[in-house]
Amino acid sequence: MEESWNFEDMENELTRLFSEILLVLPDDAHREGLVDTPRRVAKAYSEFFRGYQPINFCMRDFETSYTGFVVRKRIPFVAHCEHHICPFPGFIDFAYIPGDRVLGLSKIIRFMQHYASRLWTQEDMTEFLIDEFCRIVEPKGAAIIVEACHSCEGYRGVREPNVPTITAAVRGLFLEKPELEEKFYMLVGRR
């Protein structure tokens, strides 16, 4: 599915649709400040939802005899709520136990940020990130914590912008050996 997307066509269609949205609002859609807004919004949406594009970076890995686990703390991301298309920025704490290969450190950040850039519920995003990482990298185990504040509830509805939601999941050895999960929580400052 992902490879069939044509982002140039999508941007053209979004530009057309946002032009129509501006005509519905009680403003002058033809005034100087709004004339290029549909095109700018379409380009912004292409960036916001880049996670639908095929991954365009190499998941470079290296042979290793390392038996511990690798932790990346506070990886920033911005996803969008699938119910309101409002952003929910946050941070990801992630760890994995390598098999016989270790992943380049920057690739973990790129991976998480890339796939977060879609329409999600936070719960589904958390499960997808860990499962897709395990599918591609094949680690012995993985653990993830996602913490985010949702603007859909922060600036509308209950209007509480600073109440974070935390989701977590573990796979492989982290699931089989609770002491590894505990150590992960301690290393990322959750215990």
Side-chain angles (χ1 to χ4, degrees):
M1 177 181 100
E2 292 175 3
E3 293 183 26
S4 65
W5 278 68
N6 180 322
F7 275 78
E8 186 176 330
D9 289 347
M10 185 192 76
E11 279 188 17
N12 291 336
E13 182 65 6
L14 285 171
T15 299
R16 185 188 69 72
L17 292 169
F18 279 109
S19 295
E20 290 182 23
I21 289 170
L22 286 180
L23 292 173
V24 174
L25 297 175
D27 203 330
D28 177 7
H30 303 291
R31 68 180 171 85
E32 183 181 0
L34 293 178
V35 170
D36 288 331
T37 296
R39 182 187 52 75
R40 287 191 299 264
V41 172
K43 287 202 170 296
Y45 270 53
S46 288
E47 186 176 333
F48 295 160
F49 302 119
R50 68 188 179 278
Y52 290 110
Q53 296 174 350
I55 288 182
N56 58 1
F57 58 90
C58 175
M59 292 297 281
R60 181 71 194 254
D61 60 1
F62 308 92
E63 283 187 41
T64 188
S65 58
Y66 182 67
T67 59
F69 51 93
V70 178
V71 178
R72 299 306 317 255
K73 290 175 59 171
R74 298 192 52 81
I75 299 169
F77 75 91
V78 179
H80 283 75
C81 163
E82 69 182 37
H83 301 131
H84 304 98
I85 312 182
C86 291
F88 63 93
F91 296 95
I92 298 168
D93 293 327
F94 184 77
Y96 78 103
I97 301 169
D100 59 352
R101 309 219 26 107
V102 66
L103 194 62
L105 292 175
S106 69
K107 304 311 183 217
I108 299 169
I109 296 170
R110 289 181 182 166
F111 177 91
M112 297 297 165
Q113 291 176 335
H114 177 83
Y115 281 119
S117 299
R118 293 182 174 188
L119 294 171
W120 290 111
T121 64
Q122 183 174 327
E123 298 87 345
D124 288 343
M125 183 184 82
T126 302
E127 295 281 332
F128 178 87
L129 290 174
I130 195 168
D131 289 340
E132 188 69 0
F133 185 90
C134 288
R135 184 186 72 76
I136 293 171
V137 179
E138 299 178 346
K140 292 179 181 174
I144 189 170
I145 299 171
V146 178
E147 181 173 337
C149 290
H150 293 251
S151 63
C152 58
E153 71 176 5
Y155 300 103
R156 54 158 300 285
V158 297
R159 297 187 190 276
E160 292 295 335
N162 298 313
V163 179
T165 298
I166 299 171
T167 51
V170 293
R171 301 291 186 267
L173 290 178
F174 286 97
L175 191 59
E176 296 165 18
K177 298 182 176 183
E179 65 274 12
L180 291 177
E181 184 178 6
E182 279 298 315
K183 187 172 182 183
F184 167 66
Y185 293 140
M186 182 198 65
L187 288 171
V188 297
R190 299 285 180 169
R191 291 273 194 258

